[in-house]
Amino acid sequence: QALHLMNSPNLQNKLAHENGRVNGLTLKYEDDTKIVRQLYLATFSRPPNDDEMNNALQYLGTRRFQRRKAVEDLAWSLMNSFEFIFNH
């Protein structure tokens, strides 16, 4: 299952889909804080802690010109985290 999540073209296609959650979040929210909060709630059923929020905002902030791709990458990394794989 872990290898499937890390290497799945199907998962990548879902994250990049025009009608998917990631695209919807990037279109709906200009504030990255709201996007990070929504991704954490959707992935872990909890809000991010301060360190998680800061790390995510720093990552997104360095990729302003590829915002949607950066949000896709963040969602992918959350779905490949130990917390998601072993707890959800």
Side-chain angles (χ1 to χ4, degrees):
Q1 180 183 10
L3 286 174
H4 176 71
L5 285 174
M6 289 189 306
N7 299 310
S8 173
N10 188 30
L11 177 60
Q12 182 58 39
N13 290 336
K14 288 181 180 183
L15 288 172
H17 196 276
E18 288 293 319
N19 295 323
R21 180 179 295 241
V22 169
N23 190 44
L25 290 173
T26 58
L27 293 174
K28 183 175 182 178
Y29 299 114
E30 289 186 32
D31 181 2
D32 288 344
T33 302
K34 292 180 181 180
I35 291 174
V36 173
R37 188 174 317 280
Q38 289 300 314
L39 287 176
Y40 268 81
L41 288 172
T43 308
F44 302 134
S45 300
R46 66 167 180 83
N49 65 36
D50 290 341
D51 287 338
E52 293 167 334
M53 178 63 80
N54 290 336
N55 288 336
L57 291 175
Q58 182 178 5
Y59 177 78
L60 294 177
T62 62
R63 288 152 180 83
R64 298 301 310 160
F65 297 109
Q66 296 181 340
R67 186 170 186 241
R68 180 174 162 190
K69 176 69 173 133
V71 176
E72 288 174 19
D73 291 345
L74 179 59
W76 181 87
S77 68
L78 295 176
M79 293 180 70
N80 281 282
S81 69
F82 286 122
E83 181 175 350
F84 183 79
I85 292 171
F86 292 111
N87 293 341
H88 298 280

